[in-house]
Amino acid sequence: MKRLIVLLGLLVGLVLMGLADETIVIRYAHWNALPPDPYNYVKAFEEKYPNIKVEFIQIPEAEYSQKLRTMALAGNAPDVLCLWEADLADFARAGWIIPLDEYVKQSKELSLDDFIPAVKKLMELQGHLYGLPWCFATEIMYYNKDLFDKAGVPYPNENWTWKDFEEAAKKLIVIKDGKVVQYGCDALSFQGLWYSLIGTFGDKIVDEQGRFAIGEGARKFLNWWYDLTNKYKVVASPQISTSGVVSADLFMAGKAAMAFNGSWMTSVYKDITDFSWDVAPIPKGVRQYSTLHTGFFAINAKSKVKDAAWKFIEFCMSEEGQKLINTAYSNPSARLSILKKGYYKVEGPKGPRNWSAIEKTAEFAEWGYTLLPPGLTFDLVKDFNAAILGQISVDDVIKRAIEKAKDILGEDRVVVQ
């Protein structure tokens, strides 16, 4: 009997050793550090799936894209990558990542019908679903409620047009001794805003075939924005730093009644204590338009643990994972059912309150210019600012933009609107 017990003990030990040997390790890369407890989604995944360990690789944002490309070329990219929009298309074309279509079809957790419309549109453009957005941000309008109340101007809402915006801006400007001391709207600071606003004037920015597409919409917008800045002086003039970025934030200083910026600025402006503020969708032009930002979870085509890699992505996209990610980074989920639960909301004492502005924008916003090389789109912004400053004509800006795009993308990937 004693010998039998010893034998059974040995067998149990061997089984446990065997299980230990089956631990799978996946490598996962991101530009952000992992959030601390209780929002560490990697730790939560490992606790739920103890047979899978995640080797996290943080790559500084400034070198993130190039580093991943170098790793992919060398054949040692991580199993799970969080790819920026423009990189997703390039990695898919190069065969460095695999389609996720079948994984999603078989998933009991995820359904394509539960994602914001832009996810399906990107899938149609690229032919397959190559990545799932880990969360998203978009571009919206901010407004100072106190200044609106003082001027007797109704607050912006989702039905606002550019005519409403212009009329409000003209009522919100304050001039003392011939000098503007309060603007109707701040200058455009974030580079991507130019494309969102041009998009409302009708240009597709990126069309159904993935081509860069601007022209008449850009011309109309730039001429109108020039007049608002220089003729009516209701929009602040660009204050360009040596790096080409607008350096002042007149909205936060309480010197501009409106501003356009990314939804990520809600987590910055929440610290405002000296005036009430809120958010609204970008006003309508000939159409509603805004730009989405994200990183896409994708699987390395050379990964030897693809199923485990998918298990990690599926967890991150589950409500449990999205709640941790949305809360930690204050960005909403691209899953509609989770977006409505508002895990991303962080309100300050003075705002924001109208979170539906972000949810409404998600219904029509597109990936747009983010699918193009940043070296092209950000370079064009320098010319947009130069046009508003009167340093170059609007017609020349459009002509140069199309020529630059053809040089970088090729003739077949550029269309004049």
Side-chain angles (χ1 to χ4, degrees):
M1 185 62 183
K2 188 175 180 180
R3 291 179 63 185
L4 179 60
I5 293 174
V6 171
L7 183 58
L8 287 172
L10 287 171
L11 287 172
V12 169
L14 288 171
V15 169
L16 292 175
M17 287 176 65
L19 289 176
D21 288 342
E22 289 178 1
T23 298
I24 299 170
V25 177
I26 60 173
R27 298 165 68 227
Y28 164 50
H30 205 285
W31 64 93
N32 278 324
L34 292 175
D37 288 337
Y39 306 116
N40 188 330
Y41 57 97
V42 167
K43 183 179 179 183
F45 170 76
E46 290 178 328
E47 289 174 352
K48 189 164 186 174
Y49 299 96
N51 63 320
I52 305 176
K53 296 298 179 187
V54 179
E55 181 182 319
F56 179 66
I57 305 168
Q58 186 186 3
I59 302 172
E61 186 169 348
E63 57 191 71
Y64 187 73
S65 177
Q66 187 55 50
K67 179 70 174 179
L68 287 183
R69 288 168 185 265
T70 301
M71 295 171 83
L73 279 168
N76 62 356
D79 301 291
V80 178
L81 314 89
C82 196
L83 292 171
W84 290 337
E85 302 90 334
D87 290 333
L88 183 75
D90 289 346
F91 274 60
R93 277 194 290 268
W96 291 337
I97 54 177
I98 62 170
L100 303 181
D101 309 46
E102 287 304 316
Y103 281 115
V104 173
K105 281 182 183 176
Q106 296 174 21
S107 174
K108 295 180 180 178
E109 180 69 39
L110 307 177
S111 167
L112 271 179
D113 292 334
D114 191 34
F115 283 90
I116 58 176
V119 173
K120 275 189 177 179
K121 286 185 178 178
L122 184 61
M123 183 179 174
E124 292 168 1
L125 174 66
Q126 297 182 336
H128 287 286
L129 180 72
Y130 284 100
L132 289 172
W134 76 302
C135 55
F136 79 90
T138 189
E139 294 165 17
I140 54 176
M141 185 167 75
Y142 293 77
Y143 62 96
N144 183 319
K145 296 173 74 173
D146 289 357
L147 296 184
F148 269 71
D149 289 341
K150 190 175 180 180
V153 178
Y155 298 148
N157 58 50
E158 64 188 75
N159 297 316
W160 253 36
T161 65
W162 283 122
K163 182 180 179 183
D164 297 318
F165 168 83
E166 181 175 338
E167 290 175 351
K170 289 176 178 176
K171 293 176 181 175
L172 288 159
I173 186 174
V174 176
I175 300 174
K176 289 184 178 178
D177 301 325
K179 183 180 179 182
V180 178
V181 296
Q182 174 185 302
Y183 287 95
C185 184
D186 201 354
L188 300 182
S189 54
F190 179 65
Q191 293 97 324
L193 288 163
W194 293 91
Y195 299 98
S196 287
L197 273 55
I198 287 172
T200 67
F201 276 68
D203 286 352
K204 291 186 175 179
I205 309 301
V206 171
D207 72 4
E208 297 82 357
Q209 299 178 49
R211 300 176 300 182
F212 181 52
I214 69 167
E216 193 58 27
R219 181 175 289 103
K220 289 179 178 176
F221 167 72
L222 290 171
N223 280 320
W224 176 66
W225 201 253
Y226 177 90
D227 283 347
L228 293 181
T229 304
N230 299 287
K231 183 178 179 181
Y232 302 112
K233 301 188 184 300
V234 297
V235 172
S237 184
Q239 300 180 54
I240 311 298
S241 68
T242 52
S243 63
V245 177
V246 175
S247 55
D249 189 330
L250 298 180
F251 177 77
M252 194 165 187
K255 295 182 179 179
M258 295 179 282
F260 296 95
N261 218 318
S263 56
W264 52 86
M265 290 303 288
T266 55
S267 62
V268 176
Y269 293 156
K270 70 175 176 55
D271 295 327
I272 291 174
T273 58
D274 50 354
F275 63 84
S276 296
W277 60 279
D278 218 327
V279 296
I282 291 174
K284 298 175 184 175
V286 298
R287 64 168 178 158
Q288 284 189 301
Y289 187 84
S290 187
T291 306
L292 293 164
H293 302 259
T294 193
F296 290 92
F297 287 127
I299 296 178
N300 176 7
K302 292 189 175 180
S303 171
K304 296 179 179 177
V305 288
K306 292 184 179 68
D307 288 347
W310 168 252
K311 185 65 71 178
F312 175 65
I313 293 175
E314 188 180 46
F315 171 81
C316 291
M317 297 306 304
S318 70
E319 180 164 0
E320 181 180 357
Q322 285 288 282
K323 184 177 181 180
L324 296 174
I325 291 171
N326 295 173
T327 307
Y329 298 100
S330 301
N331 281 324
S333 175
R335 287 187 59 188
L336 296 169
S337 59
I338 301 175
L339 170 62
K340 293 175 181 175
K341 297 188 177 180
Y343 296 128
Y344 67 100
K345 298 176 183 176
V346 181
E347 292 186 359
K350 296 290 187 176
R353 303 292 184 262
N354 182 30
W355 293 101
S356 67
I358 293 175
E359 296 170 17
K360 290 287 183 184
T361 300
E363 294 175 3
F364 58 80
E366 302 178 14
W367 306 113
Y369 83 91
T370 65
L371 299 173
L372 302 172
L376 166 65
T377 52
F378 287 177
D379 193 41
L380 298 185
V381 167
K382 295 176 184 176
D383 283 349
F384 296 157
N385 274 310
I388 302 305
L389 292 170
Q391 297 168 349
I392 181 174
S393 75
V394 168
D395 285 344
D396 284 344
V397 166
I398 305 301
K399 183 178 178 182
R400 286 170 53 162
I402 293 169
E403 289 173 351
K404 285 181 182 178
K406 288 181 177 177
D407 285 343
I408 294 175
L409 302 173
E411 294 265 350
D412 60 335
R413 292 189 61 197
V414 180
V415 61
V416 181
Q417 293 277 282

